[in-house]
Amino acid sequence: MGDTSEVELAIERLMNVDRDPAPDAPHISPSPHESDRSSAAPVPHLSRLIRDAKGKFMFIGDSANLSLLQNIRRLVETSIGTCTFVVDPLRYLMVEDTPVGHPHWLDAQMQGTAFKPSLYHATLLVRQYMLATNCVLDLFDEAELLEQLPQWLDGTSDAAESLSSMYYLILAIGAQTSPEDKDELAESYFNYGRYLTARRYMEDPSILTIQAYALITMFMLGAARRNAAFMNLGIAVRAAYALGIHKRQVSDLFTVNERRTRERLWKVIRVLDLFMSASLGRPPSTSETRDTTSTENYSASASLCAIFENILTEVYSKRMVSTDVVESISEQHRNWAARLHEGLGIDGIKPTDDLLSGQQPNIGLYHIKEAYYWTIILLTRPFLIEYVSCHVATLASNPSECSDGLSAAVSNQTLVDACVNSGVRTVELLCGLDAFDNIPKRLPFVINSIFVSALVIGVAFFGDLDRTFPLKRSLRNAQKLLRRFCRYDAQAKRNLMIIEYLEESCNTYIERRDRHKMEGHSRVIEGIFGNIHRLEMEHIQQDSTAVMPNGKQQLRANDQVGHEPPLDSGNFQISGIDTMQPLDNGQSKGNEGHSSWHVAQTLGAGFSNDRNHPLPNDLQAYHDPAAVFSPQTLWFDSYEDNMPLFSTLHTGQFRHS
């Protein structure tokens, strides 16, 4: 996409921001009791849009990965100034991959019926499909698929032939995720399976309709076509509602097998819907009506989906988060973690870390555990951003106050640490994939978790949390994981590029921070032992200047641009911006009104900032009666001009070395 003129940018900003609340919007005032617990501020009405390749606007919400990325870019710019991460030439673009040189899927019938593989190769692709989609696409039993496979390949059974679209889509996902390069084969199977789906099932809601469009959605997620996946998932969701699959009472009217099929379908729809809602920041299309905590047929996936929904509706839809909400949802987390192994069986997930005597990773277990950590990150992310924002603002105005890596007293330190801890643990968990050679080459849920965790780990550096958590190692491991996928996965390639730029920014910050601290220690050392370095520097400076006949001084050639002057620790600022002044709520005069979070606190007990006593890894602080959250509410503020419009980028437009 070419450069956008200033006029177009102005029009886009007007379209992007709605500053005035709706005239009929109700005004909610907190009750006296609520006012004692937390305070509140008005929430600006804001819609953020992205542009696709055709110039159409798409919505991106607060929970989206891109929203977190923009928050971090602004914090990094405030802290260290302009850098590659901040001025990334692709920062206004969203990666979307589209096949080039392939016929359109609607023209698949012109190519004739897609060929069917041999029984041996078809069996391998079905098993690859089952491995890569375990937990997130629990539609079929492997034994059932393999039982009907020979009949479908031979074309001797009308019943099996009616499942052609399903088998073609399953083979497509198996080829797409295969460690070998089978992308051409995958696209061929997918186009024909999608054509058969549209021809047979698009207009009549049925079980097969939901299954087919769920498979199409999964394939498109793996192909980095998220907006297309979002659209096709909508068909599956509407078909499910049309059949009453969202109601357990309706499913109970059917036979045992039919009821099980309907329950599995609903779970798959929920997993896909909430994954896309959380990662793209769009409202969920489904709402749970079942009791997901029931002991009867308890599902760990369904229960975790309920936690995702609560976070999206109670935090991001309301554009605020209070410690009361955190306490409520964290209780659901504790109960879920205690019952994890109880709910694996109904989801078809084995409790071991590997399969086939250590030959394959248990992708299903990785999926469920990484999703658990992602819910914690989503819930506590606002507190981490608020913490780092205050830390950066305080450091810019008074470096000595944060010289030991601590900002002014920050309440709810447990929630900040929980966010970073979850990011670190996610990377540690997924590093287990390195033990296997032939893992699926496309795992969109895994790649999403790696990217989100790396962003959290990166921004934590700017809150000096690397003195508590192993952030350097975790960030390197996250990049190592992304490199395993980036050869074939466009999303992983772009994510790796972003994280590499972020790591450079973190290194710059650490270097400046350590240099400032060294200068502070030097003053004490000089008082004891003296300082010959300063005398040498004064002598060099005197010797490097010459008096001209007209009385002016002239610098020597080696004192020109490129030689940084000695650091004056008394005037040191991490941001490097002399005009930076502290404002309320962690804002700066240069960015007045652009803070991502407003902080409103009332008096209350807070957590200790003693970094010598790290929190328990299992977040037992939630169980400690003495660990009382300081009542607090974080309000989502307007990005205004700092939230740019994104354009959809075809992956062929960028290359990564």
Side-chain angles (χ1 to χ4, degrees):
M1 184 177 295
D3 295 336
T4 308
S5 67
E6 294 182 2
V7 175
E8 289 175 330
L9 287 174
I11 295 175
E12 288 172 355
R13 292 192 183 103
L14 289 175
M15 296 178 66
N16 200 40
V17 179
D18 179 12
R19 303 175 187 274
D20 298 324
D24 56 349
H27 176 72
I28 302 176
S29 300
S31 65
H33 175 71
E34 290 173 335
S35 297
D36 293 338
R37 289 278 300 162
S38 61
S39 57
V43 181
H45 288 241
L46 176 69
S47 293
R48 266 145 304 147
L49 304 173
I50 62 173
R51 273 192 168 187
D52 65 10
K54 298 180 180 179
K56 297 188 300 294
F57 289 103
M58 302 288 174
F59 177 80
I60 284 292
D62 294 296
S63 68
N65 300 340
L66 289 177
S67 293
L68 172 61
L69 178 59
Q70 291 309 107
N71 264 324
I72 297 174
R73 278 203 174 104
R74 182 169 48 194
L75 286 172
V76 170
E77 184 175 19
T78 302
S79 179
I80 65 173
T82 301
C83 60
T84 308
F85 176 70
V86 173
V87 297
D88 178 5
L90 303 177
R91 64 189 180 278
Y92 300 133
L93 305 174
M94 178 182 177
V95 171
E96 287 280 276
D97 197 8
T98 54
V100 178
H102 294 276
H104 195 274
W105 65 271
L106 286 175
D107 300 327
Q109 79 282 7
M110 300 176 60
Q111 310 296 323
T113 303
F115 79 95
K116 296 179 180 179
S118 66
L119 178 60
Y120 172 76
H121 289 99
T123 300
L124 291 180
L125 292 179
V126 169
R127 287 176 174 164
Q128 182 67 29
Y129 158 82
M130 295 298 299
L131 171 67
T133 63
N134 188 218
C135 173
V136 298
L137 211 64
D138 182 29
L139 292 171
F140 313 101
D141 291 326
E142 182 176 340
E144 180 182 350
L145 287 175
L146 294 177
E147 181 183 357
Q148 299 185 50
L149 185 59
Q151 299 176 6
W152 175 72
L153 292 173
D154 295 339
T156 57
S157 170
D158 293 338
E161 190 62 27
S162 66
L163 300 176
S164 280
S165 62
M166 228 64 57
Y167 272 111
Y168 276 118
L169 292 172
I170 289 171
L171 295 179
I173 296 176
Q176 182 193 50
T177 59
S178 174
E180 296 85 14
D181 187 357
K182 297 182 179 180
D183 287 356
E184 292 288 337
L185 182 63
E187 197 69 31
S188 173
Y189 286 149
F190 175 71
N191 285 340
Y192 194 71
R194 190 180 181 188
Y195 161 73
L196 291 178
T197 299
R199 179 180 176 183
R200 298 176 180 179
Y201 308 123
M202 186 172 186
E203 295 183 356
D204 297 319
S206 66
I207 297 295
L208 292 175
T209 302
I210 304 170
Q211 291 173 334
Y213 278 99
L215 290 167
I216 291 173
T217 299
M218 188 67 191
F219 183 92
M220 288 185 165
L221 282 176
R225 294 184 239 171
R226 289 169 291 176
N227 284 319
F230 188 79
M231 292 283 291
N232 283 275
L233 177 62
I235 299 176
V237 170
R238 292 302 129 194
Y241 274 104
L243 297 181
I245 291 179
H246 62 294
K247 292 285 188 180
R248 176 65 183 268
Q249 302 92 314
V250 176
S251 297
D252 289 339
L253 300 175
F254 295 85
T255 63
V256 175
N257 289 337
E258 179 78 3
R259 180 168 64 247
R260 180 169 178 264
T261 298
R262 294 169 70 93
E263 290 299 297
R264 292 173 76 171
L265 270 177
W266 178 247
K267 182 174 60 179
V268 168
I269 292 298
R270 290 278 291 166
V271 169
L272 293 174
D273 177 42
L274 290 164
F275 170 77
M276 300 190 70
S277 295
S279 60
L280 296 177
R282 296 169 184 172
S285 301
T286 60
S287 179
E288 187 60 88
T289 60
R290 294 162 173 76
D291 179 10
T292 58
T293 62
S294 174
T295 56
E296 181 183 2
N297 295 324
Y298 174 72
S299 165
S301 296
S303 182
L304 194 60
C305 284
I307 296 177
F308 267 109
E309 182 182 356
N310 287 339
I311 294 173
L312 294 177
T313 56
E314 295 299 321
V315 176
Y316 289 94
S317 292
K318 296 181 179 179
R319 310 195 78 225
M320 59 166 285
V321 55
S322 67
T323 47
D324 291 337
V325 171
V326 173
E327 288 179 8
S328 173
I329 298 179
S330 66
E331 182 180 1
Q332 300 174 39
H333 277 107
R334 294 194 298 274
N335 294 334
W336 184 89
R339 301 180 64 184
L340 171 60
H341 289 280
E342 175 189 346
L344 294 180
I346 198 70
D347 294 328
I349 304 173
K350 296 186 181 299
T352 57
D353 292 334
D354 53 61
L355 305 172
L356 300 178
S357 301
Q359 297 180 33
Q360 290 181 343
N362 188 352
I363 300 295
L365 196 59
Y366 281 106
H367 277 151
I368 197 74
K369 288 183 177 180
E370 72 183 4
Y372 161 73
Y373 287 124
W374 189 23
T375 59
I376 298 175
I377 290 175
L378 280 172
L379 180 62
T380 58
R381 199 172 82 187
F383 294 95
L384 174 63
I385 296 298
E386 179 258 344
Y387 173 89
V388 176
S389 298
C390 292
H391 184 86
V392 169
T394 304
L395 194 60
S397 60
N398 190 355
S400 60
E401 187 172 339
C402 301
S403 59
D404 293 327
L406 296 175
S407 298
V410 177
S411 62
N412 305 315
Q413 186 68 48
T414 299
L415 303 179
V416 175
D417 290 345
C419 188
V420 181
N421 178 74
S422 296
V424 171
R425 287 189 175 273
T426 299
V427 174
E428 289 178 350
L429 168 72
L430 297 176
C431 278
L433 294 173
D434 274 339
F436 304 92
D437 295 329
N438 296 322
I439 63 173
K441 66 174 179 287
R442 287 185 176 90
L443 292 172
F445 287 72
V446 169
I447 290 169
N448 175 80
S449 289
I450 297 172
F451 182 55
V452 171
S453 299
L455 289 178
V456 166
I457 292 168
V459 74
F461 277 100
F462 295 86
D464 290 335
L465 293 172
D466 56 312
R467 295 172 174 175
T468 303
F469 297 94
L471 301 185
K472 287 185 178 180
R473 183 184 65 196
S474 297
L475 199 59
R476 286 195 301 267
N477 288 339
Q479 294 177 64
K480 183 179 178 182
L481 287 168
L482 288 174
R483 287 191 186 98
R484 288 203 65 173
F485 296 100
C486 70
R487 178 181 176 185
Y488 295 102
D489 193 298
Q491 193 66 55
K493 185 185 297 184
R494 173 59 181 151
N495 290 349
L496 176 61
M497 185 182 299
I498 292 172
I499 299 307
E500 287 177 342
Y501 291 157
L502 178 57
E503 184 187 35
E504 293 176 5
S505 302
C506 295
N507 291 337
T508 300
Y509 172 81
I510 293 172
E511 181 180 353
R512 294 186 184 184
R513 180 193 67 189
D514 293 346
R515 185 181 179 189
H516 168 61
K517 189 171 183 178
M518 183 188 71
E519 292 291 334
H521 288 312
S522 296
R523 291 195 298 269
V524 178
I525 297 172
E526 291 170 11
I528 301 175
F529 299 102
N531 189 336
I532 62 173
H533 176 71
R534 176 174 297 176
L535 295 175
E536 290 179 353
M537 290 299 297
E538 291 176 353
H539 175 72
I540 291 174
Q541 290 175 358
Q542 292 174 359
D543 185 57
S544 63
T545 58
V547 179
M548 301 294 291
N550 57 6
K552 295 182 180 180
Q553 290 183 336
Q554 183 181 21
L555 292 177
R556 292 192 177 186
N558 62 352
D559 292 323
Q560 298 297 323
V561 176
H563 291 261
E564 186 176 352
L567 181 65
D568 184 355
S569 59
N571 296 324
F572 175 76
Q573 294 185 24
I574 288 293
S575 65
I577 302 174
D578 296 336
T579 58
M580 183 68 68
Q581 297 294 334
L583 293 174
D584 293 337
N585 299 329
Q587 299 180 18
S588 67
K589 287 183 179 179
N591 289 314
E592 189 169 345
H594 291 176
S595 176
S596 301
W597 314 97
H598 280 319
V599 186
Q601 300 186 51
T602 57
L603 295 176
F607 286 99
S608 171
N609 275 322
D610 187 357
R611 314 301 298 186
N612 295 321
H613 300 283
L615 293 167
N617 288 334
D618 58 355
L619 301 180
Q620 292 178 354
Y622 284 114
H623 299 278
D624 188 358
V628 180
F629 290 127
S630 174
Q632 182 179 17
T633 299
L634 297 181
W635 293 83
F636 289 53
D637 195 3
S638 164
Y639 288 84
E640 295 181 359
D641 294 339
N642 279 306
M643 183 61 194
L645 297 174
F646 295 85
S647 299
T648 301
L649 172 69
H650 184 272
T651 55
Q653 295 178 245
F654 73 92
R655 294 290 185 270
H656 186 272
S657 57

